[in-house]
Amino acid sequence: MSRFFSSKYSGLVPYTPGEQPQDQQYIKLNTNESPFPPSPMAQRMARQAAGDLQLYSDPECRELTAIGAAYFGVDREEILFTNGSDEGLNFAFMAFCDEKHPAAFPDITYGFYPVFARLNGVPYEEIPLGEDFTVNPSEYMGVGKTVFLANPNAPTGIAIPVSEIEKILISNPDNVVVIDEAYVDFGAESCVNLIHTYSNLLVIQTMSKSRNLAGGRLGFCIGCRELIRDLNTIKYSVNPYNVNRMTMAAGIGAFADREYFRFCCEEIAENRSRSAEELKKIGFLMTDSLANFLFVRHPKIGGRELYLKLKEKGILIRHFETPRLKDYNRITVGSAEQMKTLTETLTELLKEYT
């Protein structure tokens, strides 16, 4: 870092994104991207919007907000669109956390939570997952902190029942509970329907995964109008034009094309189930994932070694070096063809260890 870099960030450890290699063509199963292109309707509307890029985008995202609100059955004042769900999460740390309102989240979860906490000078508690990588909801009940829970969790894919989340909400009436539902559309239950019951609930979702817009950078927050008003205060103090014209148009098209959305989600869920069974046949152990990825280990080969051997074969998966995760890898669920290639390659690789 330069001598000009502020000392308040001297201890900041930035988030490490998944590899985006440019040296060769890989089967990319490392960053939880969709194997499917955006909806044809989303593509067409984004192309049309490109003709007006000389103009600022609508800071209120009025058309997108209207279609999103109708889709989820909420009022327009109860939804806010952001530049990816990461921006929404950062807004939440800025709006609802401080020295008197520290954050709490699992020790194994989305890696941006501790980054946002440190970036914003927020004290935080990391609550350990169980030996089976599950969240124990009772450890968040009455915790008296702003709670951040990815549901399903990452990188494990394990979901918490909504009934348990309700207990967390009830027991922390003076703190916001943020439920990060990046992967909810692949088999878990959403908490969106609870926002009219619990004024301390904020649900954050992304259009990167189930709506195939990872490169578009579009997310949204849903909560009572008071919480959304708070987030808007942050937004208009940081980046009023946070969603660009092409992304906004793509989002409108993606919401409108419900049939394509259902097709993509069902295909990924089916590929996940089929691939899990095939991997179990060759000795892999895994969590019960309801996300668009599998979290796996094999008793005969270490996680890093497996990651490197697959990379040599032109297949990228995600490996984590932390002690509790070092034997595991996270594998994005790709197309049926990609997953078939993966299982065939793994079957051949594992012959060396029999």
Side-chain angles (χ1 to χ4, degrees):
M1 64 184 67
S2 77
R3 60 190 176 91
F4 306 103
F5 193 59
S6 174
S7 61
K8 67 182 177 181
Y9 297 127
S10 60
L12 188 63
V13 179
Y15 174 74
T16 303
E19 295 172 88
Q20 298 287 354
Q22 307 297 317
D23 58 331
Q24 70 177 76
Q25 285 293 111
Y26 288 93
I27 293 177
K28 281 187 85 276
L29 304 177
N30 66 321
T31 50
N32 297 341
E33 296 154 317
S34 172
F36 305 110
S39 152
M41 192 179 301
Q43 294 184 50
R44 183 173 65 254
M45 295 186 71
R47 285 194 296 268
Q48 292 171 351
D52 291 323
L53 288 181
Q54 79 279 11
L55 303 174
Y56 283 112
S57 58
D58 175 11
E60 296 181 38
C61 301
R62 279 169 288 194
E63 188 177 354
L64 178 58
T65 297
I67 194 171
Y71 186 95
F72 289 103
V74 300
D75 294 337
R76 296 185 187 192
E77 294 79 16
E78 295 171 332
I79 185 169
L80 169 69
F81 283 88
T82 56
N83 192 313
S85 61
D86 290 336
E87 184 179 58
L89 288 165
N90 192 30
F91 285 174
F93 272 93
M94 296 172 72
F96 308 123
C97 300
D98 53 34
E99 290 186 357
K100 294 182 179 179
H101 303 87
F105 43 81
D107 65 333
I108 296 173
T109 190
Y110 185 33
F112 242 135
Y113 299 165
V115 175
F116 286 143
R118 290 191 292 263
L119 181 67
N120 292 295
V122 173
Y124 64 93
E125 177 186 4
E126 293 181 298
I127 299 176
L129 295 183
E131 288 301 312
D132 58 355
F133 294 116
T134 57
V135 170
N136 182 351
S138 66
E139 295 184 348
Y140 295 86
M141 294 175 191
V143 72
K145 297 177 173 68
T146 304
V147 174
F148 291 82
L149 289 172
N151 197 44
N153 196 15
T156 66
I158 300 172
I160 309 166
V162 169
S163 59
E164 294 298 308
I165 292 174
E166 285 198 77
K167 294 177 184 177
I168 296 171
L169 287 159
I170 293 168
S171 66
N172 291 285
D174 298 322
N175 296 92
V176 174
V177 176
V178 180
I179 305 299
D180 178 359
E181 295 186 343
Y183 304 102
V184 74
D185 292 322
F186 301 109
E189 184 182 358
S190 176
C191 289
V192 167
N193 291 337
L194 299 179
I195 68 155
H196 296 125
T197 305
Y198 303 102
S199 62
N200 59 331
L201 169 63
L202 182 69
V203 178
I204 298 181
Q205 291 193 17
T206 179
M207 301 189 77
S208 294
K209 319 298 182 186
S210 58
R211 290 184 171 85
N212 321 322
L213 290 176
R217 312 309 303 131
L218 185 60
F220 51 93
C221 307
I222 300 179
C224 71
R225 59 188 62 208
E226 290 80 11
L227 292 186
I228 299 303
R229 189 180 300 127
D230 294 340
L231 296 178
N232 266 308
T233 298
I234 301 295
K235 169 192 162 176
Y236 282 99
S237 302
V238 176
N239 185 12
Y241 305 101
N242 63 330
V243 180
N244 71 70
R245 280 181 169 269
M246 293 180 69
T247 292
M248 205 179 300
I252 293 168
F255 273 126
D257 199 345
R258 298 192 182 209
E259 184 176 346
Y260 187 76
F261 164 74
R262 284 193 295 269
F263 164 80
C264 292
C265 291
E266 289 171 1
E267 281 290 302
I268 290 172
E270 184 177 332
N271 292 345
R272 179 186 66 209
S273 177
R274 183 188 307 113
S275 299
E277 291 306 311
E278 292 299 318
L279 292 178
K280 288 175 183 176
K281 288 178 183 177
I282 54 176
F284 278 92
L285 305 173
M286 64 194 68
T287 58
D288 185 15
S289 174
L290 289 178
N292 68 335
F293 56 81
L294 296 169
F295 188 59
V296 308
R297 71 176 177 90
H298 198 284
K300 293 185 178 179
I301 182 172
R304 179 166 179 77
E305 184 179 359
L306 181 60
Y307 153 75
L308 291 172
K309 284 186 174 291
L310 281 176
K311 188 174 183 180
E312 290 175 1
K313 300 288 186 180
I315 301 174
L316 282 181
I317 59 176
R318 187 75 187 266
H319 178 66
F320 301 90
E321 293 288 357
T322 54
R324 287 189 69 187
L325 303 183
K326 63 183 178 62
D327 292 331
Y328 285 81
N329 288 295
R330 190 193 68 194
I331 302 174
T332 303
V333 176
S335 66
E337 182 179 353
Q338 288 174 326
M339 301 310 287
K340 183 174 184 291
T341 300
L342 170 74
T343 54
E344 290 175 349
T345 303
L346 286 171
T347 299
E348 286 299 311
L349 282 175
L350 289 169
K351 288 179 180 179
E352 303 174 24
Y353 298 87
T354 56

